[in-house]
């Protein structure tokens, strides 16, 4: 098919913190050197910020480098952190606060801010447009354009107005467009579907440890003003997950933001072993713990969402560049799990890539090469130093559990400054960690009370998730027989539980036969299924542009 095309110097896929920081940096650096550089950012969400979900305690280091006058420009950093409370929860009723002296220094948040990352991205998009970046929300990048020499030359956006069988719908069909570029930066976020393809095609992870992931589930609550303490940061480890064991680990957060609101969430490592575990239901029962309940009682839940995060860190970073482009942000995997922060590292990676792009364009290079300046800049940056110092954090938790792993990390961070003279490695992929259902303990979750805990469907409803129903299903099965013939007998088909949106069901027909049902309309784009399916049979691809959640301020 002959498609329409547009040409740019740089195309950036994804209007998250890394993509927008890269766009702004390119324009600013080009202006300083007298260059004309055209930049386009495409975003699959209905608007910038619609698909952004993060805790988020934000470290402003990269923002200060990008916009030293961010306060005067009105960046939405409104709530400075005032206190850190960290608890080890030992049961459903008990827990104890860990003295600051024994907390790894990476967990201290002096000088940081509690923010809505979605709102920060909206602000960054405004700055980008003021710098004459073209920002196109509602357009999903479907695939990379790769020429006969193996060079990435841009992206193809997805077709609009296609029915479930892939046929054009009369009066609605609009073919995707080629966005051609000299250099293309992929900033799709964790487990980006094109990024995943590029890693495989160019063998970018051949020298990296296995990537590791967590699923973060988050809610926003309006709470009683008398219980609100702006700037208070609360983290917990332990219950409802393992305290001393290593099979089911994770931790929680509860942050007091402005407007008498708190954000509350649970991050569960996707290396968990028990196929009966439901991250969504673990989160719902966690809210009943007295440490958490004291803030939520009398309040009202106003928003819900979920997102996978990359937490492998430095050891799991693939090669960053390939002919014609680069991976940045969480598409690369730059989150610093020791800090539970990825926004400042994502922004810095985008800025480093931007500098390399401007340098390449100034030298007259046309994209057939690799952006080696990005790699060199990364290795010479504070981003590399930060990720190096935190390289053991996740592996220690996986190997030793929250208690002993936490002790190791305290020694590594507070005594050695992250420079302990050895590196822990964890090369077992998350999907391979799951036990058989017959070997695991069943978990009986309490019914939601509709006050502190809720069901999946009412939760998805307040995520404002919507997809055009008559379109190809964006959750594809490599082998449709596997869910019922393999995953059900071996693992009690865990997709029923690991999905936090009720997308996957095992339905029993009238004749007793089982059928695997995919409710793609519910999908909040968390990517957990693509990561955790023990048979690696589910492939997440982008649906039509504008589909998915519409988060107002997550």
């Amino acid at each position: 098919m002959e498609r329409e095309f547009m040409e740019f110097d740089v195309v950036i896929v994804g209007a998250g913190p890394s993509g927008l920081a890269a766009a702004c940096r390119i324009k600013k650096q080009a202006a300083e050197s007298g260059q004309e550089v055209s930049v386009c950012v495409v975003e699959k969400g209905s608007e910038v910020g619609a698909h952004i979900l993060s805790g988020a305690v934000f470290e402003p280091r990269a923002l200060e480098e990008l916009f030293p006058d961010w306060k005067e420009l009105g960046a939405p950093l409104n709530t400075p952190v005032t206190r850190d409370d960290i608890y080890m929860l030992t049961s459903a009723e008990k827990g104890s606060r860990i003295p600051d002296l024994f907390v790894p220094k990476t967990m201290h948040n002096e000088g940081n801010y509690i923010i809505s990352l979605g709102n920060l991205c909206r602000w960054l998009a405004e700055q980008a447009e003021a710098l004459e970046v073209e920002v196109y929300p509602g357009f999903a990048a479907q695939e990379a354009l790769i020429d006969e020499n193996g060079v990435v030359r841009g992206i193809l956006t997805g077709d609009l107005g296609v029915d479930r069988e892939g046929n054009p719908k009369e009066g609605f069909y609009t073919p995707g467009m080629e966005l051609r570029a000299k250099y293309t930066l992929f900033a799709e976020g964790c487990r980006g579907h094109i990024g995943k393809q590029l890693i495989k095609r160019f063998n970018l992870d051949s020298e990296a440890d296995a990537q590791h992931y967590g699923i973060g589930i988050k809610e926003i609550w309006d709470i009683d003003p008398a219980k609100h303490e702006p700037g208070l940061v609360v983290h917990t480890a332990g219950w409802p997950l393992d305290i001393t064991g290593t099979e089911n680990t994770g931790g929680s957060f509860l942050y007091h933001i402005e407007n008498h609101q708190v954000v509350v969430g649970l991050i569960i490592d996707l290396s968990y072993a028990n196929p009966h575990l439901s991250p969504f239901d673990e989160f719902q029962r966690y809210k009943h713990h007295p440490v958490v309940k004291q803030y939520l009682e009398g309040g009202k839940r106003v928003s819900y969402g979920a997102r996978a995060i990359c937490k492998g860190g430095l050891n799991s970073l693939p090669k960053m560049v390939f002919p014609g482009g680069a991976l940045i942000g969480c598409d690369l995997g730059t989150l610093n799990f020791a800090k539970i922060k990825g926004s400042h590292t994502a922004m810095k990676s985008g800025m480093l890539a931007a500098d390399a792009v401007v340098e390449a364009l100034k030298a007259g290079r046309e994209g057939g090469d690799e952006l080696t300046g990005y790699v060199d800049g990364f290795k010479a940056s504070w981003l590399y130093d930060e990720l190096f110092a935190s390289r053991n954090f996740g592996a220690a938790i996986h190997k030793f559990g929250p208690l002993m792993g936490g002790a190791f990390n305290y020694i590594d961070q507070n005594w050695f400054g992250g420079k302990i003279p050895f590196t822990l490695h964890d090369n077992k992929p998350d999907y391979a960690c799951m036990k058989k259902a017959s070997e695991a303990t069943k978990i009986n979750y309490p019914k939601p009370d509709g006050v502190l805990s809720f069901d999946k469907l009412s939760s998805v409803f307040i995520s404002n998730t919507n997809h055009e129903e008559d379109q190809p299903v964006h959750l594809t099965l490599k082998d449709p027989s596997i869910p019922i013939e393999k995953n059900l007998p071996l693992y009690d088909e865990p997709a029923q539980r690991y999905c936090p949106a009720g997308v996957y069901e095992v339905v029993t027909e009238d004749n007793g036969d089982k059928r695997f049902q995919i409710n793609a309309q519910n999908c909040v784009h968390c990517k957990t299924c693509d990561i955790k399916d023990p048979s690696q049979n589910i492939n997440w691809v982008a649906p039509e542009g504008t589909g998915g959640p519409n988060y107002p301020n997550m």
Side-chain angles (χ1 to χ4, degrees):
M1 177 192 296
E2 194 72 26
R3 295 180 182 272
E4 292 186 20
F5 66 89
M6 297 173 67
E7 293 184 324
F8 299 90
D9 292 313
V10 187
V11 167
I12 299 172
V13 181
S18 64
L20 291 168
C24 292
R25 180 76 166 196
I26 289 169
K27 281 293 193 177
K28 290 178 67 124
Q29 294 293 86
E32 287 182 12
S33 60
Q35 294 170 259
E36 284 287 336
V37 178
S38 57
V39 182
C40 169
V41 179
V42 291
E43 163 58 41
K44 64 183 173 64
S46 60
E47 64 168 351
V48 173
H51 290 175
I52 297 292
L53 183 147
S54 182
V57 172
F58 181 73
E59 184 174 314
R61 185 174 186 177
L63 179 63
E64 287 172 350
E65 292 181 8
L66 183 61
F67 291 107
D69 56 347
W70 61 265
K71 290 182 181 179
E72 291 76 13
L73 291 171
L77 278 61
N78 303 319
T79 309
V81 174
T82 56
R83 191 172 89 242
D84 285 287
D85 285 353
I86 299 180
Y87 291 85
M88 178 63 74
L89 305 185
T90 53
S91 72
E93 296 293 331
K94 296 181 179 178
S96 56
R97 185 176 181 272
I98 300 173
D100 290 344
L101 180 66
F102 298 109
V103 173
K105 64 181 182 181
T106 54
M107 299 288 289
H108 292 283
N109 285 294
E110 297 89 351
N112 296 333
Y113 295 80
I114 304 171
I115 69 165
S116 158
L117 186 60
N119 287 342
L120 179 63
C121 288
R122 292 180 178 96
W123 179 85
L124 283 170
E126 291 173 2
Q127 309 315 304
E129 289 177 327
L131 292 166
E132 299 186 344
V133 174
E134 296 186 42
V135 181
Y136 297 131
F139 290 88
Q142 200 59 249
E143 62 184 79
L145 297 174
I146 302 177
D147 70 15
E148 64 277 5
N149 297 315
V151 177
V152 173
R153 297 294 185 182
I155 56 104
L156 174 67
T157 65
D159 296 344
L160 299 175
V162 178
D163 68 19
R164 189 163 290 243
E165 285 70 44
N167 302 311
K169 291 188 281 189
E170 189 173 348
F172 294 95
Y173 177 67
T174 305
M177 178 180 289
E178 291 185 3
L179 300 180
R180 300 175 184 175
K182 295 172 182 174
Y183 293 100
T184 309
L185 302 181
F186 292 87
E188 304 164 284
C190 174
R191 195 74 167 193
H193 86 278
I194 301 178
K196 185 175 73 167
Q197 295 167 15
L198 294 170
I199 288 170
K200 183 177 181 180
R201 176 176 180 124
F202 294 106
N203 201 22
L204 301 180
D205 59 353
S206 60
E207 297 180 11
D209 286 1
Q211 184 59 268
H212 295 283
Y213 303 88
I215 177 174
I217 303 175
K218 174 183 173 181
E219 294 174 349
I220 301 177
W221 283 66
D222 292 329
I223 67 166
D224 182 347
K227 299 178 179 181
H228 190 248
E229 187 180 333
L232 173 60
V233 168
V234 180
H235 286 114
T236 78
W239 188 90
L241 303 168
D242 288 352
I243 299 171
T244 57
T246 61
E247 292 194 344
N248 307 303
T249 55
S252 82
F253 59 89
L254 189 149
Y255 306 149
H256 290 240
I257 54 176
E258 65 260 42
N259 302 323
H260 303 132
Q261 289 188 321
V262 297
V263 297
V264 57
L266 183 67
I267 298 172
I268 295 181
D269 295 340
L270 287 178
S271 58
Y272 71 80
N274 189 337
H276 302 297
L277 185 146
S278 163
F280 175 88
D281 292 299
E282 295 291 351
F283 174 53
Q284 297 307 317
R285 67 174 177 168
Y286 148 81
K287 289 181 290 178
H288 287 269
H289 194 283
V291 167
V292 182
K293 183 171 65 173
Q294 65 177 317
Y295 298 112
L296 302 183
E297 275 186 319
K300 179 184 178 183
R301 184 179 74 148
V302 296
S303 192
Y304 167 85
R307 188 71 175 92
I309 61 172
C310 291
K311 52 183 289 293
L314 183 70
N315 301 339
S316 301
L317 290 187
K319 184 180 176 183
M320 309 162 77
V321 296
F322 42 84
L327 302 174
I328 61 176
C330 288
D331 228 352
L332 177 65
T334 56
L335 181 138
N336 181 352
F337 195 61
K339 289 186 174 182
I340 325 178
K341 293 178 185 64
S343 300
H344 70 293
T345 54
M347 290 180 68
K348 182 62 175 178
S349 71
M351 292 157 64
L352 291 166
D355 290 347
V357 166
V358 173
E359 177 188 18
L361 293 173
K362 189 174 184 179
R365 286 147 56 190
E366 292 293 318
D369 60 325
E370 293 187 355
L371 290 166
T372 54
Y374 174 32
V375 180
D376 295 339
F378 169 73
K379 290 180 178 177
S381 71
W382 59 256
L383 174 56
Y384 176 87
D385 293 340
E386 182 176 313
L387 294 181
F388 179 84
S390 301
R391 70 197 183 283
N392 286 323
F393 200 93
I397 300 294
H398 282 195
K399 288 177 178 291
F400 310 133
L403 206 57
M404 296 307 295
F408 173 92
N409 284 320
Y410 168 79
I411 293 169
D412 186 14
Q413 298 300 322
N414 292 37
W415 295 6
F416 288 88
K419 297 178 181 177
I420 205 164
F422 57 85
T423 299
L424 300 176
H425 293 278
D426 181 5
N427 264 312
K428 190 174 185 180
D430 292 339
Y431 69 83
C433 294
M434 192 171 280
K435 288 181 174 180
K436 293 179 181 178
S438 59
E439 300 169 353
T441 304
K442 284 201 170 184
I443 304 173
N444 293 314
Y445 291 106
K447 289 185 177 180
D449 64 2
V451 178
L452 293 178
S453 48
F454 304 90
D455 60 55
K456 284 184 182 178
L457 293 185
S458 66
S459 300
V460 173
F461 178 77
I462 62 170
S463 72
N464 304 306
T465 294
N466 188 56
H467 297 84
E468 171 60 45
E469 288 198 49
D470 188 19
Q471 65 170 296
V473 174
H474 69 279
L475 301 153
T476 61
L477 302 179
K478 298 171 187 175
D479 182 344
S481 70
I482 281 179
I484 300 302
E485 294 183 10
K486 180 180 178 182
N487 283 357
L488 188 60
L490 286 180
Y491 307 106
D492 193 28
E493 185 42 86
Q496 303 174 89
R497 291 172 295 281
Y498 60 58
C499 173
V503 169
Y504 302 101
E505 293 182 85
V506 174
V507 177
T508 303
E509 305 283 18
D510 292 340
N511 62 3
D513 290 345
K514 305 285 188 181
R515 174 173 58 84
F516 190 62
Q517 180 166 302
I518 300 177
N519 306 309
Q521 171 77 321
N522 289 7
C523 179
V524 294
H525 297 197
C526 74
K527 314 286 184 69
T528 301
C529 55
D530 195 294
I531 297 163
K532 189 58 179 172
D533 177 41
S535 300
Q536 290 295 276
N537 187 48
I538 299 174
N539 185 40
W540 191 100
V541 299
E544 280 191 8
T546 76
N550 286 280
Y551 299 134
N553 58 339
M554 294 286 262

